[in-house]
Amino acid sequence: MFGDESEKRIGKGGAMVKRYNGIPQFELILNDSGCENNVYESVKEKYQYIETSAHPFEDVFKSLKVEHTRLFIPLINEVFGTDYSLDEKIELLPSEGVTLTPANDGTADVKKRVTDMIVKIRDKLYIIECQSDNDSTMVIRMAEYAFMGALRNAVLKGGIMHIKMPKYTVLYVRSNSKTPRKTRIKVSFPTGEVVDYDSDNILMKEITKEEIVDKKLYALVPFYILRYEEVIKKSKANIDVLEAELRYFSEHLNQEMQDGTFYYNESRDIKYLSNNLIRKVFGDEEVENAERLVNVMGGNVVWMPSIAEREGRAKGHAEGKAEGITQMTHAFKLLKTGKCTTVDELLDNGVSLEIANAVLSI
């Protein structure tokens, strides 16, 4: 196991948190009977591994969208030529809608559509869709998303309906020679006018690590590993290169946090979600290499019973277990919302001294 390992008991002795480089990884708790057949639980909130998903990359994208919407402001600036600051008000809009497709029998086929991201900054709408493969229907969906967003934010003024079409782009976290560089939509009007409603796509593999750091495109860091997924298992040298590049991101994220550009929870969650995708790419057969890489980002691969069994067992009682989990979850929420930033403030909100010191040391 890489990194500095330590253990910290939480509560009255009922739970023990395993740590690597100061980062909580998982809790180990004996079952109520105290038998050797343990019950293992991960640290809740941000440290629990997102279970298997059919769309892991889109899920990571949506997690960042919901929790840290402002991280996408630099990406919007880069793609659409805007100059919004990180402190600009950004409004995350509802992404669900329906489309009606007429059928031959006179009825309409109703389909639910959910775009990955639609936001409003000032009076402008922006749509960002995340794709992990080539999909020939992508352009159809983008047209539907664009018109749904425009109609939802249309304004009726003086008997005239004002519709502003959003700007849009598709982020391809995986791409190949067949991946389109543009999403092309042509809108024809009865007057004969034809409008090209096109947009450049984003190909993740073409964005360098220097561009990500220089342009503050840290929302893309979790997807960076995908440029190595085809070659990473073939040579140790590829692992060495990726390890160095992940360390590059980690060090700059830490510096951005110290400088006050990004918040602590933004930096932490970028690293955490990066580790989730590392786990997805490597799978269960490459645990050692995965552990090596996620250690760079300040964490363990994922919480899994097999890892818990290998690393150790906790001692304690059910009462201490419940108290430890509750207090740690409460402390993480207070930090996340910004209500507390110091030990004293956590103590004032019912968090024990031991847990306050533990969560602030992350």
Side-chain angles (χ1 to χ4, degrees):
M1 185 62 62
F2 300 89
D4 297 325
E5 177 182 339
S6 64
E7 296 176 346
K8 183 179 288 291
R9 191 174 299 281
I10 300 299
K12 297 181 179 180
M16 185 179 293
V17 174
K18 203 78 172 178
R19 308 170 70 86
Y20 289 89
N21 296 336
I23 305 297
Q25 302 307 312
F26 49 81
E27 277 182 305
L28 309 176
I29 305 153
L30 286 175
N31 61 21
D32 293 343
S33 64
C35 296
E36 202 167 296
N37 180 22
N38 298 326
V39 175
Y40 302 101
E41 292 191 22
S42 62
V43 175
K44 297 296 190 274
E45 296 293 323
K46 299 299 179 184
Y47 297 99
Q48 185 172 13
Y49 175 60
I50 299 172
E51 295 298 333
T52 56
S53 165
H55 306 285
F57 310 111
E58 289 88 341
D59 289 347
V60 165
F61 181 90
K62 291 177 182 178
S63 296
L64 279 173
K65 172 194 76 172
V66 172
E67 294 293 331
H68 307 297
T69 314
R70 79 176 195 132
L71 290 179
F72 289 93
I73 291 178
L75 184 62
I76 288 171
N77 286 338
E78 176 66 15
V79 176
F80 302 114
T82 51
D83 60 352
Y84 303 122
S85 73
L86 274 171
D87 297 323
E88 189 82 40
K89 180 182 178 181
I90 180 170
E91 183 182 356
L92 186 62
L93 301 180
S95 56
E96 293 188 4
V98 297
T99 59
L100 303 178
T101 303
N104 293 331
D105 60 1
T107 62
D109 182 21
V110 181
K111 292 184 178 180
K112 179 180 178 180
R113 291 299 192 194
V114 183
T115 184
D116 285 339
M117 182 179 194
I118 179 168
V119 297
K120 184 176 183 179
I121 304 179
R122 300 178 190 174
D123 62 342
K124 306 293 185 183
L125 297 181
Y126 301 95
I127 293 176
I128 304 176
E129 189 73 8
C130 180
Q131 277 290 109
S132 58
D133 55 25
N134 294 336
D135 183 348
S136 60
T137 67
M138 187 71 253
V139 66
I140 298 174
R141 300 207 311 273
M142 286 308 302
E144 293 172 341
Y145 299 153
F147 281 98
M148 284 192 306
L151 290 173
R152 182 180 283 120
N153 290 274
V155 176
L156 183 62
K157 186 176 180 180
I160 300 174
M161 178 69 81
H162 295 260
I163 299 176
K164 291 185 178 181
M165 299 301 294
K167 294 186 176 182
Y168 68 90
T169 188
V170 181
L171 167 64
Y172 284 93
V173 296
R174 284 193 184 109
S175 60
N176 54 39
S177 60
K178 296 182 179 180
T179 303
R181 292 186 170 273
K182 278 183 174 289
T183 299
R184 309 191 68 97
I185 301 172
K186 285 185 178 291
V187 182
S188 299
F189 294 91
T191 59
E193 182 182 4
V194 178
V195 176
D196 289 333
Y197 183 38
D198 299 344
S199 177
D200 292 330
N201 297 326
I202 309 167
L203 275 56
M204 184 65 214
K205 72 176 184 180
E206 295 184 351
I207 302 175
T208 67
K209 66 180 188 296
E210 290 82 10
E211 287 179 309
I212 289 175
V213 168
D214 293 344
K215 297 175 181 179
K216 314 297 184 190
L217 305 176
Y218 289 105
L220 301 181
V221 168
F223 308 109
Y224 192 84
I225 188 177
L226 296 180
R227 70 183 59 202
Y228 287 95
E229 65 179 331
E230 296 298 324
V231 299
I232 203 167
K233 299 178 183 180
K234 297 179 181 179
S235 169
K236 182 178 180 297
N238 294 321
I239 298 287
D240 294 340
V241 172
L242 180 55
E243 181 181 23
E245 295 190 342
L246 291 178
R247 182 169 287 107
Y248 176 85
F249 290 134
S250 181
E251 290 172 351
H252 278 86
L253 277 168
N254 291 341
Q255 187 61 53
E256 299 276 14
M257 186 175 61
Q258 292 174 15
D259 294 343
T261 305
F262 292 101
Y263 303 129
Y264 155 76
N265 60 344
E266 292 171 335
S267 174
R268 178 200 61 197
D269 288 357
I270 289 170
K271 294 179 180 182
Y272 173 73
L273 292 172
S274 298
N275 287 348
N276 271 284
L277 289 190
I278 289 172
R279 173 67 175 83
K280 292 285 187 181
V281 169
F282 278 91
D284 296 332
E285 303 302 320
E286 297 286 336
V287 172
E288 288 188 7
N289 283 333
E291 285 177 349
R292 174 181 170 183
L293 293 175
V294 300
N295 183 68
V296 174
M297 301 298 274
N300 201 348
V301 186
V302 290
W303 176 85
M304 291 189 299
S306 60
I307 295 177
E309 290 169 355
R310 185 171 73 244
E311 296 301 331
R313 294 191 294 271
K315 299 177 182 179
H317 303 286
E319 179 182 353
K321 174 193 76 172
E323 178 183 343
I325 292 174
T326 299
Q327 283 211 24
M328 181 162 279
T329 300
H330 179 52
F332 280 137
K333 287 182 177 179
L334 291 172
L335 290 175
K336 175 184 174 183
T337 59
K339 293 181 179 179
C340 296
T341 57
T342 67
V343 170
D344 289 340
E345 289 173 340
L346 288 170
L347 293 177
D348 290 341
N349 282 270
V351 179
S352 71
L353 178 61
E354 188 173 18
I355 292 181
N357 285 328
V359 296
L360 286 173
S361 68
I362 298 172

